[in-house]
Amino acid sequence: MVEAKAGSLSFLTDNAITATIADSYAVFSERRKALKLTNPGTVDNIAREIQKDVLCTNFMFQGLRADFQKVFSLAPLFRIQHGFQMGPNVPSPYNLMALYGTPNVLLQAGLSNDGSAQCFANYRWSPKLISKSQAQISEGQALVQLDSEYTGDDFSASIKAMNPSILDGSLTGIFIGSYLQTITPRVSLGAEGVWQRQALNARPETAISYCGRYKGDDWIASAQYLAQGVLNISYWRQLTAQVEAGVDTQLQFAPGLGGNGGMLSSIRREGTTTIGAKYDFRASTFRAQVDSTGKVGCYLEKRVAPVVTMTFAGEIDQVKQTSKIGLAVSIEAAPEELMEASEKVEASNAQPPPY
Amino acid sequence: MPQLQLSEETKERITKILDISRITLHYGYLPLIIYLGYTRSDPKPTLIRLISPFA
């Protein structure tokens, strides 16, 4: 039966055209493999080394914070974290977080005492394809984000949907597709397209942004042009084994919002440049940065004991004469037999959960 | 854009299902993860260690 079916459909696979296509595809992928290109990372992480590792803008917090993290098991990974926070702009003083992970599944949930919840669920279909879903739920409303990432040998592609819905009678929501390709061993180029329609009575909007990245021996330069008229240029360099430094510039050529009806003079030109450095010591990490709007910030993370980490964050705005200070303690508890097991897991090179 | 025709009744039903699943996700997801972790962990933790932040 199966053979007969294969026979009747074989004209689809045995003709000259498909053979030529398959042949040229094989030759093409062979040549591509011979170039020995590496995966370029993702469009979101095009300037990760400087923006997410060296600069402390993302780590800044204000007030006091204490986290108690307990690891119960490593395979599967299971941990619970109790977080206590106080200070200005803190929406909820307590939140509970739980994480469960196996090599193919990652489930994470957070619940704050103001009643809002964050849910994450990631699944690895194959070593290259990961799907992620994320929901943020608070009183009577929910934000949903679905994301699929394909990490190829020399490219990365992803599709993202935010709050997709067909209930209004037509498709609404935000859809983002991005693609980043390694061109030569040092250069990679990519683009990102956004299609969005907030409601049925609004017109759909599209926007395309472009990005590029050049990787030197111990330095990386990247540029990203966003459709709203924002240009982001960054440079990162590894100075010694422990010291990294970088510059990040953001230029904005967006039309001003204050101008009434397309006045030429209302085009706003703004720019911010941030210079930062990161020092890694044996048991601590120090980050410092200065930017062109007059802000000086520093972030110090110190491992006081094997399970206790203290964090200090400070920022002074010289122009506005304001300052922010944050202090955090994080305690990570695990039973002793797990400590030994963790070394074994690290040694066996088990695949981590799909973060 | 192709218009998708949904009757009022279907729309109401879908909205209700979405509402219920949102509430389930809101209050049920974290207990589900704790239950999964508690039953599948190796070694299995004691209940008091699971609940108290200090023990």
Side-chain angles (χ1 to χ4, degrees), chain A residues 35-238:
Chain A
L35 288 173
K36 290 200 177 107
L37 299 176
T38 51
N39 182 272
T42 60
V43 173
D44 286 343
N45 282 343
I46 190 106
R48 181 182 60 88
E49 283 80 7
I50 171 80
Q51 283 172 358
K52 294 185 180 163
D53 282 354
V54 172
L55 298 185
C56 44
T57 322
N58 288 331
F59 301 99
M60 274 300 163
F61 63 96
Q62 217 177 343
L64 294 173
R65 212 173 69 188
D67 293 329
F68 298 91
Q69 193 186 86
K70 290 206 294 186
V71 182
F72 293 102
S73 159
L74 286 165
L77 181 64
F78 177 46
R79 62 171 194 240
I80 290 181
Q81 183 179 318
H82 302 265
F84 300 91
Q85 264 184 54
M86 56 188 281
N89 316 322
V90 172
S92 66
Y94 172 73
N95 75 76
L96 176 65
M97 221 182 74
L99 186 148
Y100 175 79
T102 68
N104 287 329
V105 181
L106 177 86
L107 305 172
Q108 192 185 343
L111 198 60
S112 316
N113 69 330
D114 67 346
S116 65
Q118 290 101 42
C119 313
F120 299 87
N122 299 353
Y123 188 75
R124 197 197 304 265
W125 303 94
S126 77
K128 288 181 174 175
L129 182 66
I130 297 178
S131 283
K132 300 178 181 180
S133 61
Q134 181 182 338
Q136 270 169 22
I137 307 169
S138 54
E139 289 307 311
Q141 54 175 341
L143 289 170
V144 179
Q145 187 178 320
L146 306 168
D147 189 351
S148 280
E149 278 178 18
Y150 187 86
T151 314
D153 287 332
D154 58 357
F155 72 96
S156 300
S158 84
I159 303 175
K160 211 183 272 185
M162 282 145 121
N163 276 351
S165 163
I166 50 164
L167 277 186
D168 293 342
S170 183
L171 195 65
T172 57
I174 304 175
F175 298 86
I176 303 171
S178 69
Y179 184 82
L180 187 63
Q181 169 80 49
T182 309
I183 308 283
T184 75
R186 290 182 187 274
V187 181
S188 48
L189 296 174
E192 187 174 70
V194 181
W195 184 94
Q196 64 170 332
R197 189 172 197 179
Q198 300 291 4
L200 196 61
N201 50 18
R203 290 170 69 86
E205 289 169 34
T206 51
I208 293 186
S209 51
Y210 304 93
C211 58
R213 178 178 155 105
Y214 186 92
K215 198 165 141 236
D217 289 330
D218 57 353
W219 59 277
I220 292 168
S222 71
Q224 190 170 20
Y225 181 74
L226 304 174
Q228 303 89 7
V230 179
L231 182 66
N232 207 320
I233 305 167
S234 68
Y235 175 77
W236 171 89
R237 191 176 185 109
Q238 178 110 39

Side-chain angles (χ1 to χ4, degrees), chain A residues 68 70-76 78 80 82 96-100 107-111 115-117 119-121 135 137-142 166-171 195 197 200 335 337-338, chain B residues 1-6 10-12 14-15 18-19 21-27 29-46 48-55:
Chain A
F68 298 91
K70 290 206 294 186
V71 182
F72 293 102
S73 159
L74 286 165
F78 177 46
I80 290 181
H82 302 265
L96 176 65
M97 221 182 74
L99 186 148
Y100 175 79
L107 305 172
Q108 192 185 343
L111 198 60
S116 65
C119 313
F120 299 87
I137 307 169
S138 54
E139 289 307 311
Q141 54 175 341
I166 50 164
L167 277 186
D168 293 342
S170 183
L171 195 65
W195 184 94
R197 189 172 197 179
L200 196 61
E337 64 264 26
L338 266 188
Chain B
M1 274 312 278
Q3 291 284 321
L4 200 79
Q5 291 301 326
L6 290 174
T10 330
K11 222 183 251 185
E12 221 162 75
I14 295 175
T15 316
L18 283 179
D19 256 4
S21 49
R22 196 194 66 223
I23 292 168
T24 322
L25 196 66
H26 194 166
Y27 297 105
Y29 193 57
L30 186 99
L32 171 78
I33 291 178
I34 293 179
Y35 173 76
L36 272 178
Y38 178 63
T39 49
R40 296 182 182 201
S41 276
D42 174 41
K44 200 169 171 176
T46 53
I48 182 76
R49 277 204 62 232
L50 192 71
I51 292 163
S52 146
F54 305 106

